[in-house]
């Protein structure tokens, strides 16, 4: 599934860009064959394949835009990244890899401020988005611990991708407020997520979250 992101500038009109997105996939069910030589690609530095992809880039043909966890622009790399370990920088979260034909010019770079995911939620888009999330971060109904762990991972992916509330999973319900996760506010989701983490650590300390 292709995502649409919007680059924001302080002195210029926003620019929309279609991109592949590779975020941390806990299940890692499928191999990602990304065409990053011709297609824009947004990488989450927590994904295990990020360093591998960066090593394969031809530095003279790709531009790498670096963004913080809250999607604010930090810096740009047009040359080799071999001496830079992005995963060790706690401020960095996103790398937008742009092939030459999609690169941002200097005027735009001077005023680039942030990016955000953009969703035009017609019926087809909503269906595709939910199907994509279910495929990559499905919630396990078979065991209590499995259900909690997969719910945490689904919530993390939904937050990272800025999935709209109407497209978030409503499978899990909080016993404290009676709300589905798709009905909660951002603050309620954070509280519920932490409650799930605490419950998993108590019931199954060896389980990786």
């Amino acid at each position: 599934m292709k995502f649409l992101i919007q680059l924001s500038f302080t002195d210029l009109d926003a620019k929309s860009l279609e991109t592949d997105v590779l975020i941390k996939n806990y299940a890692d069910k499928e191999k990602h064959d990304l065409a990053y030589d011709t297609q824009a690609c947004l990488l989450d530095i927590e994904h295990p394949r990020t360093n591998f992809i960066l090593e394969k880039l031809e530095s003279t043909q790709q531009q790498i835009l670096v963004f913080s966890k809250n999607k604010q622009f930090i810096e740009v790399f047009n040359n080799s990244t071999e001496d830079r370990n992005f995963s060790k920088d706690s401020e960095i979260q996103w790398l937008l890899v742009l092939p030459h034909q999609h690169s941002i010019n200097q005027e735009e770079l001077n005023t680039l401020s942030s990016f955000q995911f953009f969703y035009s939620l017609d019926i087809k888009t909503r269906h595709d988005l939910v199907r994509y999330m279910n495929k990559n971060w499905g919630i396990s109904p078979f065991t209590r611990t499995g259900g909690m762990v997969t719910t945490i991972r689904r919530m993390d992916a939904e937050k990272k991708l800025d999935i709209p509330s109407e497209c978030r999973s409503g499978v899990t319900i909080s016993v404290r407020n009676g709300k589905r996760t798709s009905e909660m506010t951002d603050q309620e989701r954070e509280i519920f997520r932490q409650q799930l983490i605490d419950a998993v650590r108590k019931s199954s300390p060896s389980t990786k979250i």
Side-chain angles (χ1 to χ4, degrees):
M1 176 178 175
K2 302 291 184 183
F3 284 81
L4 192 66
I5 65 171
Q6 190 174 74
L7 297 174
S8 297
F9 306 87
T10 56
D11 298 325
L12 300 170
D13 292 336
K15 175 184 290 188
S16 295
L17 184 67
E18 187 179 72
T19 176
D20 287 311
V21 177
L22 190 59
I23 73 171
K24 185 175 182 180
N25 187 332
Y26 293 84
D28 206 20
K29 295 176 182 176
E30 57 185 52
K31 295 180 179 178
H32 298 270
D33 186 17
L34 301 174
Y36 38 76
D37 55 338
T38 58
Q39 173 70 49
C41 181
L42 183 65
L43 302 174
D44 167 14
I45 64 167
E46 294 181 352
H47 194 282
R49 292 198 70 212
T50 298
N51 287 337
F52 170 78
I53 291 173
L54 291 175
E55 289 173 1
K56 297 297 182 183
L57 293 178
E58 298 180 21
S59 58
T60 57
Q61 296 183 5
Q62 272 79 24
Q63 182 182 62
I64 301 177
L65 304 182
V66 182
F67 293 87
S68 66
K69 292 182 179 179
N70 60 353
K71 304 178 180 67
Q72 300 298 306
F73 176 64
I74 298 176
E75 56 189 329
V76 59
F77 286 93
N78 291 294
N79 300 313
S80 174
T81 61
E82 61 185 22
D83 296 326
R84 183 63 182 266
N85 189 340
F86 294 104
S87 63
K88 291 184 178 181
D89 192 327
S90 60
E91 184 182 5
I92 294 174
Q93 181 71 64
W94 299 101
L95 305 176
L96 179 59
V97 180
L98 299 175
H100 178 70
Q101 62 268 34
H102 294 301
S103 63
I104 305 299
N105 62 45
Q106 190 59 51
E107 180 186 6
E108 293 171 324
L109 285 173
N110 290 339
T111 61
L112 178 59
S113 60
S114 62
F115 84 88
Q116 63 181 4
F117 290 98
F118 181 77
Y119 299 100
S120 178
L121 290 178
D122 55 27
I123 294 176
K124 182 180 185 303
T125 304
R126 185 181 290 109
H127 175 76
D128 290 343
L129 186 55
V130 172
R131 183 172 60 182
Y132 174 82
M133 297 304 294
N134 286 339
K135 178 181 179 181
N136 290 285
W137 296 277
I139 296 177
S140 171
F142 300 112
T143 66
R144 181 173 181 271
T145 298
M148 290 190 293
V149 170
T150 52
T151 296
I152 293 167
R153 294 171 178 173
R154 174 64 169 264
M155 292 176 70
D156 287 349
E158 289 172 338
K159 178 181 178 180
K160 194 164 286 186
L161 293 172
D162 292 343
I163 301 297
S165 292
E166 58 264 43
C167 293
R168 297 197 180 202
S169 171
V171 172
T172 308
I173 302 174
S174 170
V175 296
R176 296 199 177 188
N177 60 24
K179 292 183 179 181
R180 299 178 183 275
T181 51
S182 58
E183 300 169 338
M184 296 178 186
T185 64
D186 290 341
Q187 184 178 10
E188 287 171 334
R189 288 190 188 104
E190 287 302 313
I191 293 173
F192 182 55
R193 177 184 178 277
Q194 189 58 53
Q195 290 170 346
L196 291 175
I197 290 174
D198 293 342
V200 170
R201 287 173 176 168
K202 182 178 180 180
S203 63
S204 182
S206 61
T207 299
K208 184 178 178 180
I209 300 175

